[in-house]
Amino acid sequence: MAINSAPESSLLSLLYRSYPAAISPDATEPDLYATNTKIFPQVTLSVPEEADIKQWLDTISGLQHALAKDDKAVITTILAQLNTHLATRTTLLSSKPSVADIALYAVLAPVVEKWSPEERTGEQGYHHIVRHVDFVQNSRLFALQIPEEEKVNIDVTDVRFVPKPVDPKAEKERKKKEKAAAQNTEGEKTLVVGKSKPEKAAKGDDATEAPAAAAKQEGKPKKEKKEKKEKQPKPAPAPAAPLSPSLIDLRVGHILRAVNHPNADSLYVSTIDCGDAPGSDNTSLDEATGKTVRTVCSGLNGLVPLAEMQGRKIVAVCNLKPVTMRGIKSAAMVLAASPRVAEGEDSHAGPVELVTPPADAPAGERICFDGWSEGEPEKVLNPKKKIWETFQPGFTTTENLEVAFESSAVPVAQSQEGKPAIGKLLTKSGGVCTVKSLKGATVR
C-alpha cells in the first residue's frame, strides 16, 4: 500500500496529534498530498514543488515496502539518494516544510533510533538523514506534538566523521557572480573613456565664450566633413554544421550495482560511474566508493537477469534530458540491442542484450561511430530537435556482432559525402563495442 493513500498507524497518530484541524480522526486512508495545504496553509508551492512532493511520497512508499521486506539493496539505494539530496537542503523542498518530510520522519525515525553512532555519523554514515530527523522532530516549522520520551535521541555533538561538503549550486552561483563582476568591470572602463569629452561651460561665462568667439572670428578653417563610407554588406552566416550522431554523448559506463525499482516491476535502478567530474549536473557522490555517479532507471527487469547488471561495463547515453521514473530521477540510458520487429509488433518482447565496450575501457571514455566522430556532443539534447529519434534508427549490429551506424537508414545522413555506409561503434582508444549474439538488431 502506498504511503500517500494508506500510511502506517504511527504516521496517522502523529498527524492526528499535531494537526487535528487538518485530518479527521475518523479518517483511515487520508490522501497525504491533499492534506499538505491544510497542514501548511502559509506555504506557497510552485508547480514543480507540488510535483516533487508527489515524487517524494512515492519514494518514501518504496522505502517503506523495502524496509518491510528487509530488501537491503533497495534500502541502501534509497537512503543514499535521500542522504545526497539532503546534503544541500534543510527539507526535501530545500527550505519549505511539506507533508513528505513528516512521512519520511515517520518511516525513518524507528530506523535511525537503532543505528549505531558509526551508522549515523561515521565515514559511511547517513549524516544528513540524521540531521533531517532531528530537525523535523524539534523544529517549530513543523510543530509536531511528540513527547520528549518518544523522540529519537540524537547527540548533535557526536560526529564521528565530517564529510567534505559538495554544493554544486553554490559553485554555479560563484561562477555566475564572477562572470557578472567581470562584465561590470568592462562596463565601468567604457564609461570612463566616454567621459573624456569636455563639459560645456555654463551660459553667460564671458571668460569662456570670448576666446571661443574670437577663434571663430579669425576664420579658422572648418573641418571637412568625413565622407560617409559605404556600408559593407554583412557576411552571410556560416552554414550550420551537418547533423551527426556524434551529437549524442555516448560513454563507457561502469555499473557499480543495480537493484529492482521499488515502485515498478519492469525497471532496474542502477548506480553507474560515467566518468563525470565531482559536482556535475545530475550526479551524486557514491558514499560506498567515493565515486561521482549517476542514478539510471532502465526497463530491463525481466529481459536481462539482475546478476548481469552487477559490476559490469556498459555503453551509456549521457545527454538525454533526465526523467523521473516512478519517483526516482534517471540521468542516463543503458544502450541495449533487441531483434527488429515488424510494425505493430511488441518491440520490447526480447530477447535483449546489453552493448558491451572493451573490458579495459575506463569509465567515462568517449564512444563514437567510426567516420562520425567530428565535434563535441551537446550538453543536453533538446527534445524538440529530436536528435536521438533522428539517428537511433541507424543503430544496428553487424554479422560480426559489432554495434554500428548504418547511414542509409537515416535520411539526413544519406546526403553527407565522404561518410561510411557502416561505421562501427568505437571507444576513443579504438576498441569495438559488441553484443553477444544478436545480428541485424536494433540498438537503443
Side-chain angles (χ1 to χ4, degrees), residues 315-339:
V315 174
V317 185
C318 293
N319 61 343
L320 296 173
K321 188 175 181 180
V323 294
T324 298
M325 303 176 74
R326 300 298 294 272
I328 296 179
K329 184 178 180 181
S330 179
M333 185 175 76
V334 176
L335 211 57
S338 59

PDB file of all heavy atoms in Angstrom, residues 315-339:
ATOM      1  N   VAL A 315      27.514   0.693 -22.274  1.00  0.00           N
ATOM      2  CA  VAL A 315      27.557   1.963 -23.000  1.00  0.00           C
ATOM      3  C   VAL A 315      26.370   2.791 -22.524  1.00  0.00           C
ATOM      4  O   VAL A 315      25.227   2.327 -22.567  1.00  0.00           O
ATOM      5  CB  VAL A 315      27.498   1.750 -24.525  1.00  0.00           C
ATOM      6  CG1 VAL A 315      27.402   3.097 -25.245  1.00  0.00           C
ATOM      7  CG2 VAL A 315      28.717   0.980 -25.003  1.00  0.00           C
ATOM      8  N   ALA A 316      26.642   4.005 -22.053  1.00  0.00           N
ATOM      9  CA  ALA A 316      25.601   4.879 -21.514  1.00  0.00           C
ATOM     10  C   ALA A 316      25.378   6.076 -22.433  1.00  0.00           C
ATOM     11  O   ALA A 316      26.332   6.649 -22.968  1.00  0.00           O
ATOM     12  CB  ALA A 316      25.981   5.362 -20.118  1.00  0.00           C
ATOM     13  N   VAL A 317      24.110   6.423 -22.632  1.00  0.00           N
ATOM     14  CA  VAL A 317      23.743   7.651 -23.351  1.00  0.00           C
ATOM     15  C   VAL A 317      23.588   8.718 -22.273  1.00  0.00           C
ATOM     16  O   VAL A 317      22.670   8.647 -21.447  1.00  0.00           O
ATOM     17  CB  VAL A 317      22.434   7.464 -24.137  1.00  0.00           C
ATOM     18  CG1 VAL A 317      22.141   8.718 -24.970  1.00  0.00           C
ATOM     19  CG2 VAL A 317      22.521   6.241 -25.034  1.00  0.00           C
ATOM     20  N   CYS A 318      24.475   9.708 -22.272  1.00  0.00           N
ATOM     21  CA  CYS A 318      24.599  10.605 -21.119  1.00  0.00           C
ATOM     22  C   CYS A 318      24.022  12.003 -21.308  1.00  0.00           C
ATOM     23  O   CYS A 318      24.118  12.818 -20.375  1.00  0.00           O
ATOM     24  CB  CYS A 318      26.069  10.715 -20.715  1.00  0.00           C
ATOM     25  SG  CYS A 318      26.751   9.178 -20.064  1.00  0.00           S
ATOM     26  N   ASN A 319      23.471  12.331 -22.475  1.00  0.00           N
ATOM     27  CA  ASN A 319      22.950  13.698 -22.616  1.00  0.00           C
ATOM     28  C   ASN A 319      21.483  13.755 -23.028  1.00  0.00           C
ATOM     29  O   ASN A 319      21.022  14.750 -23.584  1.00  0.00           O
ATOM     30  CB  ASN A 319      23.806  14.532 -23.569  1.00  0.00           C
ATOM     31  CG  ASN A 319      23.850  13.976 -24.985  1.00  0.00           C
ATOM     32  OD1 ASN A 319      23.513  12.812 -25.224  1.00  0.00           O
ATOM     33  ND2 ASN A 319      24.289  14.790 -25.927  1.00  0.00           N
ATOM     34  N   LEU A 320      20.748  12.674 -22.753  1.00  0.00           N
ATOM     35  CA  LEU A 320      19.294  12.769 -22.860  1.00  0.00           C
ATOM     36  C   LEU A 320      18.789  13.576 -21.672  1.00  0.00           C
ATOM     37  O   LEU A 320      19.405  13.592 -20.605  1.00  0.00           O
ATOM     38  CB  LEU A 320      18.659  11.378 -22.850  1.00  0.00           C
ATOM     39  CG  LEU A 320      19.008  10.456 -24.026  1.00  0.00           C
ATOM     40  CD1 LEU A 320      18.442   9.065 -23.793  1.00  0.00           C
ATOM     41  CD2 LEU A 320      18.500  11.021 -25.338  1.00  0.00           C
ATOM     42  N   LYS A 321      17.656  14.242 -21.835  1.00  0.00           N
ATOM     43  CA  LYS A 321      17.106  15.035 -20.736  1.00  0.00           C
ATOM     44  C   LYS A 321      16.691  14.095 -19.608  1.00  0.00           C
ATOM     45  O   LYS A 321      15.976  13.123 -19.834  1.00  0.00           O
ATOM     46  CB  LYS A 321      15.898  15.848 -21.216  1.00  0.00           C
ATOM     47  CG  LYS A 321      15.395  16.841 -20.195  1.00  0.00           C
ATOM     48  CD  LYS A 321      14.273  17.691 -20.777  1.00  0.00           C
ATOM     49  CE  LYS A 321      13.778  18.704 -19.745  1.00  0.00           C
ATOM     50  NZ  LYS A 321      12.682  19.548 -20.281  1.00  0.00           N
ATOM     51  N   PRO A 322      17.148  14.347 -18.361  1.00  0.00           N
ATOM     52  CA  PRO A 322      16.776  13.462 -17.242  1.00  0.00           C
ATOM     53  C   PRO A 322      15.264  13.378 -17.071  1.00  0.00           C
ATOM     54  O   PRO A 322      14.543  14.359 -17.296  1.00  0.00           O
ATOM     55  CB  PRO A 322      17.431  14.126 -16.030  1.00  0.00           C
ATOM     56  CG  PRO A 322      18.558  14.919 -16.601  1.00  0.00           C
ATOM     57  CD  PRO A 322      18.075  15.413 -17.929  1.00  0.00           C
ATOM     58  N   VAL A 323      14.784  12.200 -16.674  1.00  0.00           N
ATOM     59  CA  VAL A 323      13.358  11.995 -16.438  1.00  0.00           C
ATOM     60  C   VAL A 323      13.175  11.298 -15.098  1.00  0.00           C
ATOM     61  O   VAL A 323      14.044  10.550 -14.650  1.00  0.00           O
ATOM     62  CB  VAL A 323      12.703  11.146 -17.553  1.00  0.00           C
ATOM     63  CG1 VAL A 323      12.707  11.883 -18.877  1.00  0.00           C
ATOM     64  CG2 VAL A 323      13.413   9.800 -17.702  1.00  0.00           C
ATOM     65  N   THR A 324      12.049  11.555 -14.456  1.00  0.00           N
ATOM     66  CA  THR A 324      11.732  10.881 -13.194  1.00  0.00           C
ATOM     67  C   THR A 324      10.822   9.702 -13.496  1.00  0.00           C
ATOM     68  O   THR A 324       9.752   9.866 -14.086  1.00  0.00           O
ATOM     69  CB  THR A 324      11.047  11.851 -12.221  1.00  0.00           C
ATOM     70  OG1 THR A 324      11.954  12.925 -11.933  1.00  0.00           O
ATOM     71  CG2 THR A 324      10.692  11.157 -10.925  1.00  0.00           C
ATOM     72  N   MET A 325      11.254   8.522 -13.107  1.00  0.00           N
ATOM     73  CA  MET A 325      10.523   7.293 -13.411  1.00  0.00           C
ATOM     74  C   MET A 325      10.028   6.670 -12.111  1.00  0.00           C
ATOM     75  O   MET A 325      10.813   6.125 -11.336  1.00  0.00           O
ATOM     76  CB  MET A 325      11.418   6.325 -14.192  1.00  0.00           C
ATOM     77  CG  MET A 325      11.970   6.940 -15.479  1.00  0.00           C
ATOM     78  SD  MET A 325      13.130   5.891 -16.387  1.00  0.00           S
ATOM     79  CE  MET A 325      12.009   4.686 -17.073  1.00  0.00           C
ATOM     80  N   ARG A 326       8.746   6.829 -11.858  1.00  0.00           N
ATOM     81  CA  ARG A 326       8.094   6.286 -10.671  1.00  0.00           C
ATOM     82  C   ARG A 326       8.814   6.702  -9.384  1.00  0.00           C
ATOM     83  O   ARG A 326       9.111   5.909  -8.518  1.00  0.00           O
ATOM     84  CB  ARG A 326       7.995   4.760 -10.755  1.00  0.00           C
ATOM     85  CG  ARG A 326       7.200   4.226 -11.928  1.00  0.00           C
ATOM     86  CD  ARG A 326       5.742   4.669 -11.897  1.00  0.00           C
ATOM     87  NE  ARG A 326       5.050   4.100 -10.758  1.00  0.00           N
ATOM     88  CZ  ARG A 326       4.446   2.901 -10.764  1.00  0.00           C
ATOM     89  NH1 ARG A 326       4.481   2.143 -11.856  1.00  0.00           N
ATOM     90  NH2 ARG A 326       3.819   2.464  -9.696  1.00  0.00           N
ATOM     91  N   GLY A 327       9.128   7.991  -9.300  1.00  0.00           N
ATOM     92  CA  GLY A 327       9.676   8.538  -8.076  1.00  0.00           C
ATOM     93  C   GLY A 327      11.186   8.619  -8.002  1.00  0.00           C
ATOM     94  O   GLY A 327      11.722   9.187  -7.056  1.00  0.00           O
ATOM     95  N   ILE A 328      11.901   8.059  -8.990  1.00  0.00           N
ATOM     96  CA  ILE A 328      13.365   8.101  -8.975  1.00  0.00           C
ATOM     97  C   ILE A 328      13.859   8.778 -10.256  1.00  0.00           C
ATOM     98  O   ILE A 328      13.481   8.384 -11.366  1.00  0.00           O
ATOM     99  CB  ILE A 328      13.968   6.690  -8.843  1.00  0.00           C
ATOM    100  CG1 ILE A 328      13.581   6.084  -7.494  1.00  0.00           C
ATOM    101  CG2 ILE A 328      15.492   6.729  -8.969  1.00  0.00           C
ATOM    102  CD1 ILE A 328      14.106   4.693  -7.254  1.00  0.00           C
ATOM    103  N   LYS A 329      14.721   9.783 -10.095  1.00  0.00           N
ATOM    104  CA  LYS A 329      15.227  10.532 -11.240  1.00  0.00           C
ATOM    105  C   LYS A 329      16.292   9.720 -11.959  1.00  0.00           C
ATOM    106  O   LYS A 329      17.251   9.249 -11.361  1.00  0.00           O
ATOM    107  CB  LYS A 329      15.822  11.859 -10.765  1.00  0.00           C
ATOM    108  CG  LYS A 329      16.296  12.772 -11.882  1.00  0.00           C
ATOM    109  CD  LYS A 329      16.823  14.068 -11.291  1.00  0.00           C
ATOM    110  CE  LYS A 329      17.301  15.020 -12.362  1.00  0.00           C
ATOM    111  NZ  LYS A 329      17.836  16.272 -11.798  1.00  0.00           N
ATOM    112  N   SER A 330      16.114   9.575 -13.270  1.00  0.00           N
ATOM    113  CA  SER A 330      17.057   8.814 -14.100  1.00  0.00           C
ATOM    114  C   SER A 330      17.842   9.779 -14.973  1.00  0.00           C
ATOM    115  O   SER A 330      17.270  10.593 -15.689  1.00  0.00           O
ATOM    116  CB  SER A 330      16.305   7.810 -14.980  1.00  0.00           C
ATOM    117  OG  SER A 330      17.201   7.091 -15.803  1.00  0.00           O
ATOM    118  N   ALA A 331      19.194   9.672 -14.929  1.00  0.00           N
ATOM    119  CA  ALA A 331      20.042  10.676 -15.570  1.00  0.00           C
ATOM    120  C   ALA A 331      20.870  10.122 -16.727  1.00  0.00           C
ATOM    121  O   ALA A 331      21.849  10.744 -17.129  1.00  0.00           O
ATOM    122  CB  ALA A 331      20.963  11.306 -14.533  1.00  0.00           C
ATOM    123  N   ALA A 332      20.508   8.978 -17.277  1.00  0.00           N
ATOM    124  CA  ALA A 332      21.204   8.427 -18.443  1.00  0.00           C
ATOM    125  C   ALA A 332      20.381   7.247 -18.960  1.00  0.00           C
ATOM    126  O   ALA A 332      19.306   6.943 -18.421  1.00  0.00           O
ATOM    127  CB  ALA A 332      22.629   7.994 -18.094  1.00  0.00           C
ATOM    128  N   MET A 333      20.887   6.601 -20.003  1.00  0.00           N
ATOM    129  CA  MET A 333      20.212   5.421 -20.540  1.00  0.00           C
ATOM    130  C   MET A 333      21.257   4.358 -20.864  1.00  0.00           C
ATOM    131  O   MET A 333      22.349   4.675 -21.353  1.00  0.00           O
ATOM    132  CB  MET A 333      19.423   5.779 -21.809  1.00  0.00           C
ATOM    133  CG  MET A 333      18.586   4.629 -22.352  1.00  0.00           C
ATOM    134  SD  MET A 333      17.561   5.131 -23.760  1.00  0.00           S
ATOM    135  CE  MET A 333      18.780   5.199 -25.054  1.00  0.00           C
ATOM    136  N   VAL A 334      20.934   3.103 -20.574  1.00  0.00           N
ATOM    137  CA  VAL A 334      21.832   1.989 -20.877  1.00  0.00           C
ATOM    138  C   VAL A 334      21.507   1.478 -22.283  1.00  0.00           C
ATOM    139  O   VAL A 334      20.357   1.156 -22.581  1.00  0.00           O
ATOM    140  CB  VAL A 334      21.664   0.858 -19.844  1.00  0.00           C
ATOM    141  CG1 VAL A 334      22.520  -0.340 -20.217  1.00  0.00           C
ATOM    142  CG2 VAL A 334      22.028   1.355 -18.454  1.00  0.00           C
ATOM    143  N   LEU A 335      22.524   1.410 -23.153  1.00  0.00           N
ATOM    144  CA  LEU A 335      22.318   1.008 -24.539  1.00  0.00           C
ATOM    145  C   LEU A 335      22.212  -0.516 -24.625  1.00  0.00           C
ATOM    146  O   LEU A 335      23.053  -1.242 -24.070  1.00  0.00           O
ATOM    147  CB  LEU A 335      23.486   1.507 -25.394  1.00  0.00           C
ATOM    148  CG  LEU A 335      23.203   1.861 -26.858  1.00  0.00           C
ATOM    149  CD1 LEU A 335      22.121   2.925 -26.958  1.00  0.00           C
ATOM    150  CD2 LEU A 335      24.464   2.338 -27.551  1.00  0.00           C
ATOM    151  N   ALA A 336      21.183  -1.000 -25.336  1.00  0.00           N
ATOM    152  CA  ALA A 336      20.966  -2.441 -25.465  1.00  0.00           C
ATOM    153  C   ALA A 336      20.427  -2.759 -26.854  1.00  0.00           C
ATOM    154  O   ALA A 336      19.858  -1.898 -27.544  1.00  0.00           O
ATOM    155  CB  ALA A 336      19.986  -2.927 -24.398  1.00  0.00           C
ATOM    156  N   ALA A 337      20.613  -4.007 -27.278  1.00  0.00           N
ATOM    157  CA  ALA A 337      20.160  -4.462 -28.599  1.00  0.00           C
ATOM    158  C   ALA A 337      19.002  -5.430 -28.448  1.00  0.00           C
ATOM    159  O   ALA A 337      18.931  -6.194 -27.471  1.00  0.00           O
ATOM    160  CB  ALA A 337      21.316  -5.145 -29.337  1.00  0.00           C
ATOM    161  N   SER A 338      18.088  -5.404 -29.428  1.00  0.00           N
ATOM    162  CA  SER A 338      16.965  -6.348 -29.469  1.00  0.00           C
ATOM    163  C   SER A 338      16.610  -6.600 -30.925  1.00  0.00           C
ATOM    164  O   SER A 338      16.923  -5.782 -31.802  1.00  0.00           O
ATOM    165  CB  SER A 338      15.761  -5.781 -28.709  1.00  0.00           C
ATOM    166  OG  SER A 338      15.348  -4.553 -29.268  1.00  0.00           O
ATOM    167  N   PRO A 339      15.980  -7.744 -31.238  1.00  0.00           N
ATOM    168  CA  PRO A 339      15.651  -8.052 -32.642  1.00  0.00           C
ATOM    169  C   PRO A 339      14.726  -7.001 -33.237  1.00  0.00           C
ATOM    170  O   PRO A 339      13.865  -6.443 -32.550  1.00  0.00           O
ATOM    171  CB  PRO A 339      14.959  -9.411 -32.535  1.00  0.00           C
ATOM    172  CG  PRO A 339      15.401  -9.981 -31.235  1.00  0.00           C
ATOM    173  CD  PRO A 339      15.589  -8.821 -30.314  1.00  0.00           C
TER     174      PRO A 339
END
